[in-house]
Amino acid sequence: MQLSGKRAVVTGSNSGIGLGIARELARAGAAVVINSFTDSAEDHALAAEIAADTGSDVRYIQADMSKPADCRALIETAGGCDILINNAGIQHVAKIEEFPADKWDAIIAINLSSAFHTTAAALPGMYAAGWGRVINIASAHGLTASPYKAAYIAAKHGVVGLTKTTALEAAGKGITANAICPGYVLTPIVEKQIPDQMKTHGMDRETVIKQVMLARQPSGEFATVEQMGGTAVFLCSDAAAQITGTTISVDGGWTAL
Ligand code: NAD
């Protein structure tokens, strides 16, 4: 068990990519905290289900990643962590001139500022341990842009910048910081964009998937949450100890175009 003895916190992980990463980290032997802003019986049952499936210690901690105090409290309540996965994210699709200001603020808070607050709270423990992995889930949209996603693209480019600064400050201390940049992965965040994209482009569902979403992904296939989990486990391995301050694209060739 490659990651036994390591403690991981995965923000925004009761669904989609975060959940996929939490499962793979637990499968690799890490003790894992899963998180979202809700506090339902299903959230705790999900943690119990992953624990039973993997044999690792998995628990759920509620914290709202739009709130700086909650971000820091998540790390404290977890008792610190060796592996921090900043994954929580939301999306909104609209033209800049019609983009609601409250959506802009929420996307910057959840997709970007939360990673700053959790990293700030987690680094002292990593420095003390002399080992740590910070993995930020950015996006192909952290490296390239598309119309109608101003806040998301600004936040994800910001995440890539934060990743580089984290890597430089932590360099030589046994700690790496990297960003995974997924292309399209069919998760609830993508499902929810399909109706907006249909409206904005005047297309039906299948045409939006093929001509708008996967048109940017030369493989013509969605990436999977298991592939994101496998990439995170690799970044936690000794083989990746000198990979820091960079981005790993898992995007079917999107950013090669
Ligand atoms: P998702 O909607 O399935 O998951 C988002 C997670 O964030 C959920 O667990 C949700 O509960 C959580 N979350 C939302 N608001 C929160 C808050 N205020 N506090 C705590 N948790 C909160 O979407 P996903 O596709 O799994 O997205 C996960 C990450 O991957 C996001 O950062 C997203 O931008 C990024 N990403 C996704 C894709 C894709 O195609 N799915 C591509 C590139 C990047």
Side-chain angles (χ1 to χ4, degrees), residues 90-113:
I90 58 168
Q91 175 64 285
H92 187 79
V93 178
K95 293 176 182 169
I96 289 174
E97 62 274 27
E98 292 164 12
F99 211 97
D102 63 334
K103 294 280 185 199
W104 170 276
D105 289 343
I107 290 173
I108 298 299
I110 296 168
N111 296 25
L112 173 58
S113 301

Side-chain angles (χ1 to χ4, degrees), residues 12 14-15 17 36 64-65 87 138 152 156 183 185 187-190:
N14 65 352
S15 160
I17 291 172
S36 185
D64 184 342
M65 293 298 102
N87 169 79
Y152 187 86
K156 294 298 187 181
V185 186
T187 64
I189 203 175
V190 170

Side-chain angles (χ1 to χ4, degrees), residues 5-28:
K6 303 295 188 204
R7 300 157 308 150
V9 171
V10 187
T11 72
S13 46
N14 65 352
S15 160
I17 291 172
L19 179 56
I21 291 175
R23 277 190 199 282
E24 295 304 321
L25 292 174
R27 216 165 262 155

Side-chain angles (χ1 to χ4, degrees), residues 33 80 83 174 230:
V33 167
I83 299 164

Side-chain angles (χ1 to χ4, degrees), residues 11-21 35-38 43 60 62-67 70-71 74 86-91 106 109-111 114 136-141 152 156 180-193 217 222-223 225 228 250 254:
T11 72
S13 46
N14 65 352
S15 160
I17 291 172
L19 179 56
I21 291 175
N35 151 264
S36 185
F37 59 92
T38 50
D43 293 324
Y60 180 84
Q62 186 273 342
D64 184 342
M65 293 298 102
S66 69
K67 298 180 178 153
D70 273 32
C71 298
L74 171 64
N86 287 306
N87 169 79
I90 58 168
Q91 175 64 285
I110 296 168
N111 296 25
S114 72
N136 296 324
I137 307 308
S139 171
H141 279 137
Y152 187 86
K156 294 298 187 181
I180 296 176
C181 292
Y184 273 112
V185 186
L186 194 56
T187 64
I189 203 175
V190 170
E191 272 296 340
K192 277 183 230 151
Q193 297 174 44
Q217 207 143 301
F222 285 110
V225 300
M228 300 308 149
V250 187
W254 177 331

